[in-house]
Amino acid sequence: MTDSPSPAMKIIKPIDNRRLVDELADLWRGRGILAVLIRRDISVRYRQAVFGVVWALLQPIVTTAIFTLVFVVFIRLPSQDVPYPVFAFAGLVIWQYFNRAVSEGTLSLVTNSGLITKVYFPRIVIPLVAPCSAALDCLLGVAALVGIALVFHAQLQWTAAFVPLVVLFVGLFGYAVGLCLAPLQAIYRDIGIVLPFALQIAMYLSPIAYPASVVPQSVRWLYRLNPVAVMVDSMRWALVGSEPPSAAGLVVAFASTALLLWIGLIIFRRCEGTLVDRI
């Protein structure tokens, strides 16, 4: 009687010196699990919600009303020849999308730890779930923004065709930030404690409730290099034709996104090998 040969053992090892095309290939291979996770996040968010997607619009609408009361009635801030509710709502739609993409993307590895420790799949797709699922709320907000612009007789511009590109860029930038922070948050939980405070500071330093024109001229050039400010200004320019973002600001925003994606890929690959043991 002869012994049957033992089955071959397959050892999975991380690949060193991976190229960008390899990372894109991982994203493509993980498109199935990405779609499942996106559907899960959207269904969980609105499951048993009486008002459903109305909640996606309620927060920016209420915040816009408060901003209008404080900054128009009390302080009388200028709004670049755009009705202030349109001005503020455009900034809030972009900010809330960016805020969700970063916050949920940073926590994504921890919240999906049960899935990560049970089955292998390209984990680089997990931080991408947050900007993709949050895009639904953002698009609903953009539709509401168009309605508010029509109510306040703001003249819509042909540049509104660029709005999807603005939303896409915000999501990509949010993914880049989340890709950098998610593996660090899985190892050092301090990131999740500091992040809300850092995002709150970023909101105050961005032209969400006020125009860049109120910033002192001596530091305005530095202010316009803020990628979030560039994203907000781009939305307002695309929809209602307000002052466009500066060319230098656009270059810095694109360069920052590319740099953060590169850094995020490096951090993710270095932490991925021990992620299951440390999450």
Side-chain angles (χ1 to χ4, degrees), residues 193-209:
I193 299 174
V194 175
L195 184 61
F197 180 62
L199 287 173
Q200 188 176 27
I201 293 176
M203 179 178 176
Y204 290 138
L205 294 178
S206 304
I208 311 299

Side-chain angles (χ1 to χ4, degrees), residues 102-125:
V102 172
S103 300
E104 297 178 12
T106 299
L107 298 174
S108 59
L109 294 178
V110 175
T111 54
N112 289 281
S113 58
L115 180 62
I116 293 173
T117 55
K118 290 177 181 176
V119 62
Y120 177 78
F121 61 93
R123 290 157 186 154
I124 197 172
V125 305

Side-chain angles (χ1 to χ4, degrees), residues 124-179:
I124 197 172
V125 305
I126 294 182
L128 186 58
V129 174
C132 289
S133 61
L136 175 61
D137 288 359
C138 182
L139 293 176
L140 291 172
V142 170
L145 176 59
V146 172
I148 292 174
L150 294 175
V151 168
F152 285 93
H153 305 289
Q155 186 176 1
L156 300 179
Q157 304 294 319
W158 66 269
T159 50
F162 291 102
V163 168
L165 294 179
V166 176
V167 174
L168 179 62
F169 175 71
V170 176
L172 185 61
F173 186 70
Y175 173 59
V177 177
L179 191 63

Side-chain angles (χ1 to χ4, degrees), residues 162 165-167 169-170 172-173 221-238 243-259:
F162 291 102
L165 294 179
V166 176
V167 174
F169 175 71
V170 176
L172 185 61
F173 186 70
W221 66 272
L222 182 61
Y223 178 89
R224 290 187 182 277
L225 297 182
N226 175 3
V228 178
V230 172
M231 293 184 288
V232 171
D233 287 343
S234 297
M235 173 60 79
R236 289 171 177 153
W237 164 79
E243 184 179 353
S246 65
L250 287 172
V251 170
V252 169
F254 286 122
S256 300
T257 302
L259 179 61

Side-chain angles (χ1 to χ4, degrees), residues 24-43:
L24 295 177
D26 271 358
L27 285 175
W28 178 250
R29 283 193 296 269
R31 65 190 183 280
I33 187 67
L34 175 63
V36 170
L37 293 176
I38 292 171
R39 287 196 298 268
R40 183 203 65 180
D41 277 15
I42 293 175
S43 63

